[in-house]
Amino acid sequence: GPPGDRPLVRAGKRVIRRVSIANRFGVGPGCPPLLIAGPCVIESEELALSVAAFLADLAARLPVNVVFKGSFDKVNRSSGASYRGPGEAEGLRILAKVRERHGLPVTTDVHDPRQAGAVAPRVDLLQIPAFLCRQTDLLVAAGETGVAVNIKKGQFMAPWDMRNAVEKVFSTGNENVLVTERGTTFGYNNLVVDFRGLPAIRESICPVIFDATHSVQLPAGAGNVSSGERKYVAPLARAAVAAGVDGLFLEIHPDPDRALSDGPNSLPLADVEPLLRTLLAIRAAAGEEATDEK
C-alpha cells in the first residue's frame, strides 16, 4: 500500500488523535463534527457579523462545533489587482467583534512567523495556507504560540507526506494540529480529491478536515481570477463524510456571485443547513456519532 498505510511512530508515543480548540471542545474520534465556515475573505464588519450570526444559530440547533473563518489578507490571489482583504489590524478587530458578539471561536490565515505570533492571541485556531504547508519557520512559529494549528494540505502534496508538516508543529510540544484536505492539482486549472487520503491522514497522522469548497475550485480558471464548480460541493462533502472525517470546511456567503473572493465555489447560506443535516445523517449511518457532550 502507499506510505500512508504505515503507522506514524514518535518516540514510542501513540499518535495524538484528539485536538482541543481553545479548551472549548475536542476534534477527533468520539467528538461532534467540527464546522469551519465563513466568507473566503473579510469583506466588511457587517458581512462578517451577519455570517457569524447565521453560524451561531446553526451551532445552537445542530450537533456540530463551529469555528468562524475569515481571512484578513489573501496573499495568493491570481491577479495583483484582486481584493486581498482589510489588512491585519482591521481584520483582527472584526474577528474580535465576532468572538465577542456571537461567542464563536475564530480562525484566520497567517503567512509568516511574525504574523503567527502577532495573530495567535486574537484567534482560537491558526490556519496555514496550502501553498505554505512546507514552510518550516512558519509551522514552528505557529506551534510555538500554543494555539491549535490547522494546516491546509498543499495541492502538490501526497496525503501521507503531510506527516512531515505536522511533525514540525509537534516539535514545539504543540500537539493540537489538524490537517485539511482541499484537493490535489490535476493538470491545468483543475483539482481532484483522492478520498484515500482522508483515512490515510486520519488513521496515521492527526484528525482530518475536508474542505468541500476549495476542492471544487478551478485555480485561475477564469483568467485573472479563480473559478469553481459549486454544484459539486455537496456530492464531495457527502463522499468525504462517508469516508470518515472529523470536520468540514466551507466557504459561505449571503450572495456568492457577488463575493470578493472565491464566489464560484462558495455556498449560499440557504444551502448550508440542508447539507449539514444530510451529512449528519450519513455520519450516523457510518457509525460516527459523537459520544462526547457538545
Side-chain angles (χ1 to χ4, degrees), residues 9-13:
V9 178
R10 295 190 300 109
K13 293 175 62 178

Side-chain angles (χ1 to χ4, degrees), residues 25-255:
F25 49 75
V27 184
C31 299
L34 176 66
L35 173 64
I36 302 173
C40 175
V41 65
I42 297 173
E43 299 180 13
S44 67
E45 178 179 321
E46 179 184 12
L47 176 74
L49 291 175
S50 172
V51 174
F54 169 81
L55 290 170
D57 175 65
L58 281 184
R61 294 187 293 105
L62 298 178
V64 295
N65 291 321
V66 176
V67 172
F68 176 88
K69 177 264 174 186
S71 298
F72 58 75
D73 186 10
K74 301 296 292 185
V75 304
N76 62 349
R77 297 302 305 271
S78 298
S79 167
S82 296
Y83 177 73
R84 288 178 49 164
E88 184 176 323
E90 176 66 1
L92 291 176
R93 183 193 69 79
I94 292 171
L95 289 172
K97 186 70 75 73
V98 166
R99 257 176 157 183
E100 173 189 351
R101 183 169 297 183
H102 297 293
L104 293 176
V106 298
T107 187
T108 195
D109 301 285
V110 291
H111 307 93
D112 59 60
R114 179 213 64 81
Q115 202 170 65
V119 170
R122 313 287 292 278
V123 301
D124 304 283
L125 178 66
L126 287 171
Q127 180 168 294
I128 307 298
F131 287 130
L132 301 179
C133 71
R134 290 170 53 115
Q135 298 293 92
T136 301
D137 290 348
L138 175 58
L139 291 165
V140 169
E144 288 175 341
T145 69
V147 173
V149 179
N150 177 29
I151 310 174
K152 303 294 287 286
K153 183 183 78 64
Q155 300 92 322
F156 44 86
M157 294 284 288
W160 35 88
D161 288 339
M162 286 302 293
R163 69 180 54 177
N164 295 317
V166 170
E167 285 287 348
K168 292 174 184 180
V169 181
F170 280 170
S171 73
T172 68
N174 184 348
E175 295 183 317
N176 284 316
V177 185
L178 305 170
V179 165
T180 294
E181 167 63 69
R182 49 88 24 98
T184 301
T185 300
F186 184 73
Y188 298 122
N189 307 119
N190 200 13
L191 299 172
V192 297
V193 178
D194 178 359
F195 287 96
R196 297 175 301 173
L198 299 172
I201 294 169
R202 194 184 196 207
E203 294 170 8
S204 66
I205 304 177
C206 67
V208 65
I209 309 300
F210 179 63
D211 182 343
T213 44
H214 279 108
S215 291
V216 302
Q217 187 184 63
L218 301 175
N224 63 344
V225 295
S226 290
S227 186
E229 297 179 298
R230 188 183 303 137
K231 64 183 179 180
Y232 294 125
V233 169
L236 289 184
R238 293 194 297 264
V241 171
V245 293
D246 299 290
L248 193 70
F249 182 109
L250 294 174
E251 290 193 329
I252 63 176
H253 195 281
D255 187 356

